[in-house]
Amino acid sequence: MEFDGQPFMGWQRQPHGATVQSALEDACAAILKEPTVVHAAGRTDAGVHGLGMVAHIDVDRVMTPFALMEAINAGLHDVPVAVIACAEVAADFHARFSCLARHYEYRIVNRRAPLTLGAGREWRIRRQLDSDAMHTAAQILVGHHDFTTFRSVHCQSANPVKTLDRLDVARVGERIVVQASARSFLHHQVRSMVGCLSLVGLGRWSAEDLRAALEASDRTRLGLNAPPDGLYFVRADYPNGLKTEHPGQ
């Protein structure tokens, strides 16, 4: 599915605000005539967007995937969430626990002019960024590390040690795109890494400053946590070569 995260308090259902999960569960319950739990590949923060989020529901009612997709989208007509693909999977499939890799993209617009169409969907940085320096420094974070420095104080993960498979930074015109891949991420990890890389791009941090922050394993050594605006859940990978992504990606 794809969704615009701006009006939501994140993925996970909350008792005091709109979330992507609650919108989907309400739409599914109306169709299936029973309470429905939607399990997702990941839990996004408030304001974070989805291009290829994967979720599953257990359905006893006989419906074709196409009919289910159409019905869910009809129920989502007043919120910026859309199911873009739907398929029947094996009974042991789980959107979260079967996932082998998760892929995120962070979008920065590097210009002085304010954002118009991209407002709330990209992070604008006015001063010129050195994207090559950002990419070089990013490779320090790739691999198996203790990412405590880049972890939210509210993170519920039992272990701050993760393996980051990819962290690439590339400029395309006025935009800088950061792509991150791993089996799993800590809460705020991608945003925190991007925030620190932006300091490198601005010349305020060196690559060695980034390395020192990583090795400190101390959240107080974090330089900057990037806003949620530019972050997108792009794709999830599953066994047997199944990869899910937005058709336009």
Side-chain angles (χ1 to χ4, degrees):
M1 70 199 69
E2 66 177 21
F3 55 87
D4 179 349
Q6 292 183 84
F8 298 111
M9 297 181 65
W11 166 267
Q12 191 170 8
R13 180 182 282 274
Q14 304 286 340
H16 52 280
T19 68
V20 181
Q21 183 182 27
S22 62
L24 282 161
E25 289 182 343
D26 291 347
C28 290
I31 299 162
L32 303 174
K33 308 303 181 185
E34 62 182 13
T36 305
V37 178
V38 178
H39 303 273
R43 298 176 181 178
T44 52
D45 293 333
V48 175
H49 316 291
L51 291 177
M53 177 60 78
V54 180
H56 85 266
I57 59 173
D58 296 318
V59 181
D60 291 328
R61 180 176 171 181
V62 177
M63 295 182 72
T64 66
F66 179 78
L68 180 61
M69 179 176 69
E70 291 286 282
I72 293 174
N73 283 335
L76 294 169
H77 69 278
D78 58 347
V79 292
V81 182
V83 178
I84 55 178
C86 184
E88 185 175 352
V89 292
D92 62 352
F93 175 89
H94 195 286
R96 178 184 175 189
F97 299 118
S98 300
C99 188
L100 300 178
R102 294 163 175 87
H103 307 270
Y104 284 88
E105 180 174 292
Y106 197 99
R107 301 176 179 179
I108 298 171
V109 176
N110 192 199
R111 73 183 193 193
R112 295 188 61 82
L115 296 178
T116 53
L117 299 178
R121 298 183 180 91
E122 297 172 302
W123 181 25
R124 178 178 65 115
I125 297 180
R126 292 162 55 98
R127 286 185 52 197
Q128 185 72 10
L129 293 167
D130 184 339
S131 58
D132 291 337
M134 292 169 67
H135 177 75
T136 299
Q139 305 321 298
I140 293 170
L141 302 177
V142 175
H144 192 65
H145 303 290
D146 181 336
F147 283 99
T148 296
T149 301
F150 304 92
R151 173 191 194 184
S152 166
V153 295
H154 303 295
C155 182
Q156 298 178 354
S157 178
N159 191 346
V161 176
K162 296 290 181 182
T163 300
L164 182 62
D165 298 317
R166 177 191 185 194
L167 189 61
D168 291 339
V169 183
R171 177 181 286 277
V172 182
E174 66 180 11
R175 285 175 171 79
I176 293 176
V177 179
V178 182
Q179 295 178 315
S181 300
R183 180 157 193 151
S184 62
F185 290 90
L186 299 168
H187 188 204
H188 281 187
Q189 183 180 343
V190 177
R191 288 171 55 191
S192 295
M193 294 189 301
V194 170
C196 290
L197 288 174
S198 74
L199 297 180
V200 173
L202 290 168
R204 297 176 184 170
W205 271 26
S206 67
E208 289 309 307
D209 290 328
L210 182 67
R211 187 188 303 277
L214 172 66
E215 294 177 350
S217 299
D218 181 355
R219 181 66 175 178
T220 65
R221 296 289 298 275
L222 180 73
L224 179 65
N225 194 38
D229 306 37
L231 185 58
Y232 293 77
F233 186 105
V234 174
R235 192 177 84 238
D237 297 346
Y238 292 91
N240 303 317
L242 174 62
K243 293 186 177 182
T244 59
E245 58 189 323
H246 191 292
Q249 295 300 302

